Amino acid sequence: MTALLKIENLSKVYDDDSREHAVIDNLSLEVEQGEFLCILGPSGCGKTTLLRCIAGFERCRGRILVDGREIAGPGTDRIMVFQDFNQLFPWLTVERNIQYALKCQGVRDRRKLADIAADVLAKVKMSGFEKHYPYQLSGGMKQRVAIAKALALKPAIILMDEPFAALDAITRNTLQQEVLAISRQEKCTIIFITHNIQEGIVLGTRLMLMQHGGRVAMDLRNPIPRPVSPSSPGYGALWDRMHAALYATQEV
Amino acid sequence: MKDSVRSLLQKVAFVAVLLAAWEIAARAHVFGPRSEIIFPTLEAVGAAFVKNFAKGYAGVTLWVYLANSMKLLLAGMGIGIGMAFLCSGLSMVSRTFHNLYSLLVAVADLLPGVALLPVVIIIFGVKPGVIVFLVVHSVVWPMSRNLIDGFRAVPRLYVEAGMNIGLSRAGLLFGIYIPAAMSYILSGLKVGWARAWRGLISAEMIFGIASAPGIGLFINQMRTNMNNAEMYATLVVIIIIGLIVQYGILNPIEKHTVGKWGMRKS
Ligand SMILES: Nc1ncnc2c1ncn2[C@@H]1O[C@H](COP(=O)(O)OP(=O)(O)OP(=O)(O)O)[C@@H](O)[C@H]1O
Ligand SMILES: [Mg+2]
């Protein structure tokens, strides 16, 4: 069986970057269907860059294959949930934001559009906000809608770049639980970047630690059975191990 | 709602005070015997207003002048706005075009249209098209300036989100760039409209075209005949049309777009 996502010898140098080292230098990675890959790593090590390369927003060297086909630019098989709360189009209501994405995919039937929007909004617990404009929502609500939009498109992979980093701890925990529930129900493949070790352990079926230059410092299957909580056996040990490794990469 | 009522009352009160001051000045004959020419009474201006529309000048009512002006204005604004969208859109596609077009906008926007008129008339002759040319000239540059600024200011995030959901180039223009730049488009329209309206009237005053007499020509005829009450009454018509466009068209558009979207430029 071939991996859903296959990255071969990816290298990325920003045009306006004066440093001689590539941000990502010869990175190879495979992600299986249904995996929830959490990527951690020190600030500036190239996590966002990697995700943007996968999304097709950046020009880069190497090959990125989804389902065996090499990608050429952005596509709806890889939907990005950005870190920025302002990723919804402010001129469209919550419902229209989702339907617009579907319409771009050629879904024309009104009933179907309404049904899909209602369905995905229910999944992220945003029913009742269909007619709201994004400026009327809180940051956490905007992120829920962004996730709903991604779900509506049924992409092969959902890419999430620290989507909850700017949220308070309680909202963050709630959203983690919801994303976890959704990922188990939908069996979707998710690549999720986070700075938070707890978040990585709770969500990820696989944990990867990135280092400067896009080198993979650690890549392991999450040994703790879901649902994970801080009282799960092995949680403390794994947390310590991740923490130590994260600090080790920081020193380089 | 209460705020809007208050703001309306303030405006009405302000206008009433101005009109009262005018009337007092008129009745007091502050300028002696010339006062009737400088400050005709409100009643005289009101009567002239009615007369303009009922009888007009030399058998042609103000309606005819107004209709002619409006036709030229709408044609000019339509062409000007269309050209601005086309050229600003193109300058998003090609860097070279953007470079050259920005220069053209910066230079052309400074040129007073009336100064160009003699040249245009020599080329095209005294035809209504000359007035249309002037309206286009007054609309296209400020509109382009705003469109280019607006398109440039569209957050990268919206464009990427648009590409991610599979929008084509044209889809990005209509689905992302235009709505995202709406507040810039509206300020371009406001500036463009004001310039076009004024430009039209000055052009008509200077080069009144007999085959399509417009409101500017009417003012000029009243002015040269010292029919000042009629002249003032025509200026009132110009003000009323300006207010209708501002409060009846532009402001509602703004309210139902950027206002509703929480995207008003602060
Ligand atoms: N558009 C860009 N142009 C030039 N350099 C860039 C650009 N974007 C990122 N970089 C550089 O690439 C490196 C990696 O950036 P990236 O945003 O991928 O880091 P990150 O791992 O996501 O960090 P963080 O955890 O802080 O979000 C940084 O050194 C940054 O300075
Ligand atoms: Mg980042």
Side-chain angles (χ1 to χ4, degrees):
Chain A
M1 194 187 117
T2 66
L4 176 66
L5 172 73
K6 196 165 183 172
I7 299 174
E8 292 172 355
N9 308 99
L10 179 76
S11 291
K12 169 72 191 170
V13 184
Y14 283 107
D15 299 335
D16 54 349
D17 206 338
S18 51
R19 288 163 303 186
E20 66 241 64
H21 291 297
V23 175
I24 293 177
D25 190 14
N26 212 19
L27 176 140
S28 294
L29 178 70
E30 288 192 7
V31 180
E32 302 293 338
Q33 161 71 37
E35 248 178 350
F36 196 132
L37 171 63
C38 281
I39 302 178
L40 292 99
S43 182
C45 72
K47 303 182 294 296
T48 298
T49 305
L50 170 63
L51 219 58
R52 290 176 55 81
C53 287
I54 300 173
F57 296 145
E58 300 285 351
R59 250 184 275 222
C60 46
R61 278 210 317 276
R63 285 171 19 113
I64 298 174
L65 300 104
V66 175
D67 246 344
R69 269 194 308 276
E70 186 161 358
I71 65 157
T76 43
D77 52 342
R78 289 149 285 135
I79 294 292
M80 180 87 145
V81 176
F82 296 87
Q83 183 174 9
D84 196 321
F85 292 162
N86 297 315
Q87 58 190 296
L88 301 173
F89 301 137
W91 53 90
L92 299 176
T93 60
V94 162
E95 180 181 58
R96 298 247 172 232
N97 257 286
I98 293 166
Q99 294 177 349
Y100 185 62
L102 289 165
K103 278 184 199 163
C104 296
Q105 292 314 295
V107 183
R108 285 271 166 266
D109 184 51
R110 285 249 190 118
R111 270 236 65 80
K112 200 169 164 201
L113 285 170
D115 287 348
I116 298 178
D119 180 47
V120 291
L121 284 172
K123 277 181 190 145
V124 296
K125 304 207 165 55
M126 282 294 287
S127 300
F129 291 95
E130 286 84 355
K131 307 284 183 223
H132 282 59
Y133 281 91
Y135 82 96
Q136 298 168 308
L137 306 179
S138 71
M141 289 156 100
K142 287 180 194 167
Q143 293 307 72
R144 286 169 194 249
V145 176
I147 294 170
K149 188 172 107 182
L151 290 176
L153 289 166
K154 298 204 173 305
I157 308 169
I158 300 180
L159 307 166
M160 300 199 197
D161 188 2
E162 304 188 46
F164 311 144
L167 294 172
D168 66 276
I170 296 174
T171 313
R172 188 181 182 131
N173 279 330
T174 323
L175 279 170
Q176 282 171 7
Q177 291 311 316
E178 281 164 19
V179 165
L180 186 63
I182 289 168
S183 78
R184 298 177 77 177
Q185 267 166 32
E186 311 277 309
K187 300 193 170 47
C188 42
T189 309
I190 298 178
I191 302 180
F192 191 106
I193 291 176
T194 177
H195 268 130
N196 187 313
I197 300 174
Q198 173 267 341
E199 188 161 81
I201 300 178
V202 167
L203 293 178
T205 58
R206 176 177 164 195
L207 303 166
M208 191 176 116
L209 197 62
M210 227 169 117
Q211 206 171 333
H212 286 279
R215 275 185 301 281
V216 179
M218 189 169 146
D219 187 350
L220 53 89
R221 197 147 299 284
N222 189 346
I224 306 171
R226 283 168 154 187
V228 182
S229 81
S231 57
S232 303
Y235 179 94
L238 183 59
W239 196 94
D240 285 340
R241 195 175 150 202
M242 298 289 301
H243 187 74
L246 198 55
Y247 267 77
T249 58
Q250 215 102 34
E251 270 144 30
V252 178
Chain B
M1 245 337 39
K2 240 179 93 191
D3 267 2
S4 68
V5 171
R6 212 175 75 178
S7 125
L8 182 67
L9 285 180
Q10 281 173 344
K11 282 173 188 147
V12 169
F14 180 63
V15 172
V17 168
L18 285 184
L19 290 178
W22 176 288
E23 186 68 6
I24 290 167
R27 299 254 172 112
H29 292 276
V30 281
F31 289 106
R34 294 168 301 163
S35 225
E36 255 173 59
I37 295 171
I38 300 170
F39 278 130
T41 59
L42 292 184
E43 197 188 337
V45 175
F49 189 90
V50 176
K51 192 182 135 214
N52 280 346
F53 283 108
K55 294 235 291 280
Y57 176 78
V60 184
T61 67
L62 186 53
W63 288 118
V64 177
Y65 290 84
L66 206 55
N68 282 330
S69 287
M70 281 314 193
K71 251 185 277 175
L72 301 183
L73 182 73
L74 287 181
M77 287 204 61
I79 297 172
I81 293 171
M83 270 173 61
F85 267 95
L86 187 72
C87 295
S88 311
L90 281 179
S91 71
M92 289 311 290
V93 180
S94 153
R95 271 224 70 89
T96 314
F97 188 88
H98 173 255
N99 258 337
L100 302 180
Y101 191 60
S102 306
L103 180 67
L104 180 65
V105 169
V107 171
D109 200 16
L110 295 173
L111 302 177
V114 176
L116 298 176
L117 265 195
V119 183
V120 180
I121 287 178
I122 291 169
I123 299 172
F124 295 108
V126 181
K127 296 212 182 74
V130 174
I131 305 281
V132 174
F133 174 89
L134 198 93
V135 174
V136 171
H137 171 77
S138 34
V139 171
V140 71
W141 312 123
M143 192 73 203
S144 297
R145 195 188 283 271
N146 275 277
L147 280 176
I148 292 174
D149 284 352
F151 287 161
R152 300 247 130 201
V154 172
R156 186 91 202 114
L157 187 61
Y158 295 159
V159 180
E160 283 175 356
M163 293 195 301
N164 206 177
I165 59 176
L167 285 174
S168 61
R169 267 175 177 239
L172 284 176
L173 179 65
F174 290 104
I176 309 290
Y177 280 103
I178 289 181
M182 202 56 174
S183 60
Y184 287 83
I185 294 176
L186 284 171
S187 36
L189 277 178
K190 280 184 193 166
V191 176
W193 147 254
R195 290 219 195 153
W197 192 210
R198 242 176 30 191
L200 172 94
I201 290 162
S202 350
E204 285 179 345
M205 283 183 76
I206 300 171
F207 303 92
I209 293 169
S211 64
I215 193 163
L217 183 66
F218 191 86
I219 292 178
N220 213 26
Q221 285 160 346
M222 294 303 117
R223 195 184 57 145
T224 46
N225 294 328
M226 288 290 251
N227 291 340
N228 277 22
E230 280 79 0
M231 197 271 289
Y232 282 129
T234 317
L235 292 186
V236 170
V237 173
I238 290 173
I239 293 171
I240 291 175
I241 292 174
L243 290 179
I244 291 177
V245 171
Q246 170 81 41
Y247 288 96
I249 301 175
L250 293 174
N251 284 7
I253 294 180
E254 183 165 18
K255 195 174 139 203
H256 285 101
T257 55
V258 290
K260 193 166 75 174
W261 305 337
M263 281 178 78
R264 235 183 264 272
K265 257 197 295 184
S266 47

